[in-house]
Amino acid sequence: MSEFINKRLKGLAPYVPGEQPENFDKVIKLNTNESPFLPPAEAIEKAADALTRINLYSDPSAKKLTKAISEYLGVDKSNVSVYNSSDEALAIAFMGFCENGVAVNDITYGMYTIWAELFNAHVTLIKLKDDFSIDVNDYKGLKQTVVIANPNAPTGLTLSLEKVEELVSADKSRLVIVDEAYIGMGAVSAVPLIKKYDNLMVITTFSKTRAMAGARLGYIAACPSLIADCERIRGAFHPYNVNMVTQALGEYSLKNNDYFNECTNVLIKNREYLTEELQNLGFYVLDSKSNFIMCRPPKKDGGRYYQLLREDNVMVRYFDRDRIREYVRITVGSKEQLDILIMLTKKYIEGGLI
Ligand SMILES: *Cc1c(COP(=O)(O)O)cnc(C)c1O
C-alpha cells in the first residue's frame, strides 16, 4: 500500500471474483453464471459494424439502446438509464442513494457490502430465514435503503411480486433497490411497479441470461425523477460509460428476443435436469429460478465436492462462509457440460467421497 491512498480506503477489501482460467479448452466452466450461448448473430454483426467507427466516442446517452430497452420493458425512455454493467449501475445507486445507510441480507451478492464500504454507507445486515428465504417483515420500520437481489444469489430463491410490492409500499419514504441480475428464468420482474411507486429502482444486467458478460451492460429502470438523478451522477462520473460495440450488442439482443427466449427455455430445461439428477444422487437442491443452482452433497461438505470437481477440471463456485459452507453453486451450462459434471458426481458418490 502506498502512503497516498485515502485513509478511509485503507481497509477496503475488493471482491474475489470466480476464477477465469487461462486455458478454456481444458476446463468446464460452471463457476460464474455465464451463458453457454452467444448473443444472436445479428447482434454480433452489428457489433462488428460498430468497430468500424471505434475511433469516435460512443453516444453518451445511448439513445437507440435506451429506446430498445424501454420498448422491451413497456415503459418510457425517461424510465431507463444504461450502464457499463449492472455493477456500475449498482455502484451509482450506492454512491447516490444510501445516505441513511443500507439494509442487505447476510447471504447475497458480495459486492453490496463492498460498495457500502467504498461509498461510506452504514450496513444493516438482515439475516435470511433458516431456509434462506427473505421475510419482508424483517424490513418493517427500517429507514435505510433496502437492496435485495431477486432471484437472490447465490441461493437462486425468489421473492414473489406481491412480497416485493409489500416491501416497496410499506414505506414510501424509503428507497428499495431490486437487483434482477437473473430475471427471465422463472422469477417475476418488479419493473411494472415503477409506474406505481417512486421509491423503487430495478437494476438488470445483460451478463447472465443475455449472454453478454464480456460486453458489460446493465440498466436501471425507475420513475423519471430517480432516473434523472441517476443520469446526473452518471454524467458526472462517466459520461461515455457504454462503449459503441456494447450499445449495438444490447440493442440487437433485444430486437432478437425470440432467440433469447429459445436459449432461456433450453437453460430452464437443463436446470430442471441437473436438479433432478443431483436429487436422485441424494443432494439437497434449493429451488432456483436462476441460471445456477445451489446444492448440498449428501455428506454436506461443499468444499470437498468443489475440490474434487476442480481436480477433474470442472469449475464450480464454493463460498467458504458461515451458513453456506455445506453447499456449492453450479452454473447451468450446456447439456454436454452438465452430463460430464453428473458423471463425475456419480463417481464420487460411488467412491463414498461426498
Ligand atoms: C452477476 C451479478 C451482478 C453483476 O453483473 P454485471 O452486469 O456483470 O456487473 C450483479 N448482481 C448480481 C446478483 C449478480 O449475480
Side-chain angles (χ1 to χ4, degrees):
M1 189 181 299
S2 80
E3 61 187 287
F4 304 110
I5 189 168
N6 294 351
K7 275 189 208 67
R8 204 177 59 72
L9 300 181
K10 282 192 173 168
L12 189 65
Y15 186 64
V16 182
E19 199 181 337
Q20 294 293 344
E22 277 179 20
N23 190 344
F24 280 91
D25 302 336
K26 264 181 68 185
V27 298
I28 294 180
K29 195 173 173 313
L30 303 173
N31 65 337
T32 49
N33 300 342
E34 290 139 327
S35 170
F37 301 107
L38 278 174
E42 192 190 14
I44 290 177
E45 279 162 31
K46 298 288 179 182
D49 284 354
L51 277 174
T52 65
R53 301 185 299 279
I54 204 78
N55 55 316
L56 306 175
Y57 276 108
S58 59
D59 174 6
S61 49
K63 282 185 279 302
K64 288 182 179 166
L65 173 59
T66 305
K67 183 164 178 281
I69 294 171
S70 54
E71 281 170 2
Y72 170 73
L73 295 177
V75 300
D76 190 70
K77 293 197 290 292
S78 61
N79 292 117
V80 175
S81 175
V82 302
Y83 294 87
N84 178 325
S85 76
S86 66
D87 277 347
E88 189 185 60
L90 284 157
I92 294 276
F94 274 79
M95 195 192 296
F97 302 90
C98 295
E99 212 164 35
N100 296 329
V102 59
V104 298
N105 298 312
D106 61 335
I107 298 167
T108 190
Y109 186 40
M111 283 298 292
Y112 300 155
T113 48
I114 296 173
W115 285 311
E117 168 90 29
L118 182 60
F119 298 116
N120 219 1
H122 182 265
V123 173
T124 304
L125 269 191
I126 308 288
K127 206 164 172 274
L128 293 178
K129 299 291 157 210
D130 287 341
D131 62 0
F132 300 127
S133 63
I134 291 174
D135 183 348
V136 292
N137 291 316
D138 291 342
Y139 297 84
K140 290 241 163 86
L142 289 181
K143 287 293 173 195
Q144 295 91 324
T145 297
V146 173
V147 182
I148 58 163
N150 192 32
N152 196 11
T155 64
L157 301 178
T158 56
L159 200 58
S160 69
L161 187 60
E162 291 70 32
K163 289 290 171 189
V164 173
E165 181 160 11
E166 207 180 309
L167 192 60
V168 176
S169 64
D171 180 353
K172 291 182 185 165
S173 68
R174 170 186 76 181
L175 181 65
V176 175
I177 298 172
V178 184
D179 176 358
E180 296 189 345
Y182 298 100
I183 206 68
M185 297 212 30
V188 181
S189 173
V191 165
L193 297 181
I194 66 169
K195 295 180 184 171
K196 205 165 149 194
Y197 297 98
D198 289 350
N199 61 319
L200 170 65
M201 220 184 243
V202 180
I203 300 185
T204 313
T205 179
F206 280 63
S207 292
K208 309 288 167 49
T209 47
R210 286 260 170 205
M212 282 174 46
R216 317 304 298 133
L217 182 61
Y219 59 83
I220 299 179
C223 70
S225 62
L226 275 174
I227 290 297
D229 292 341
C230 292
E231 284 289 301
R232 181 195 299 258
I233 302 169
R234 189 183 69 82
F237 178 68
H238 191 185
Y240 299 99
N241 59 336
V242 184
N243 73 70
M244 57 173 68
V245 175
T246 297
Q247 289 193 23
L249 278 171
E251 182 187 348
Y252 286 91
S253 164
L254 293 170
K255 288 184 175 164
N256 287 273
N257 204 47
D258 291 349
Y259 169 86
F260 168 67
N261 288 337
E262 277 169 35
C263 294
T264 304
N265 287 339
V266 173
L267 285 179
I268 291 174
K269 248 193 232 148
N270 289 355
R271 180 181 71 206
E272 306 312 329
Y273 170 69
L274 175 64
T275 301
E276 257 176 49
E277 290 289 320
L278 291 179
Q279 281 171 339
N280 290 341
L281 292 171
F283 277 61
Y284 174 64
V285 186
L286 297 185
D287 178 25
S288 170
K289 294 285 182 277
S290 315
N291 73 338
F292 61 84
I293 59 154
M294 186 81 164
C295 63
R296 186 178 66 196
K299 289 188 179 169
K300 302 186 180 177
D301 187 345
R304 176 124 175 92
Y305 181 43
Y306 161 83
Q307 198 53 45
L308 286 164
L309 286 169
R310 188 87 188 76
E311 283 158 20
D312 283 320
N313 290 321
V314 177
M315 294 165 71
V316 298
R317 195 84 202 263
Y318 173 61
F319 299 92
D320 191 4
R321 272 191 9 213
D322 278 358
R323 300 188 73 189
I324 52 174
R325 235 170 234 120
E326 297 177 351
Y327 293 78
V328 301
R329 191 193 71 188
I330 306 173
T331 302
V332 177
S334 67
K335 176 86 167 28
E336 294 70 31
Q337 291 174 320
L338 298 181
D339 277 331
I340 294 172
L341 175 122
I342 291 160
M343 182 266 294
L344 290 167
T345 305
K346 276 186 185 146
K347 197 180 78 182
Y348 309 147
I349 299 259
E350 281 159 14
L353 299 174
I354 58 168

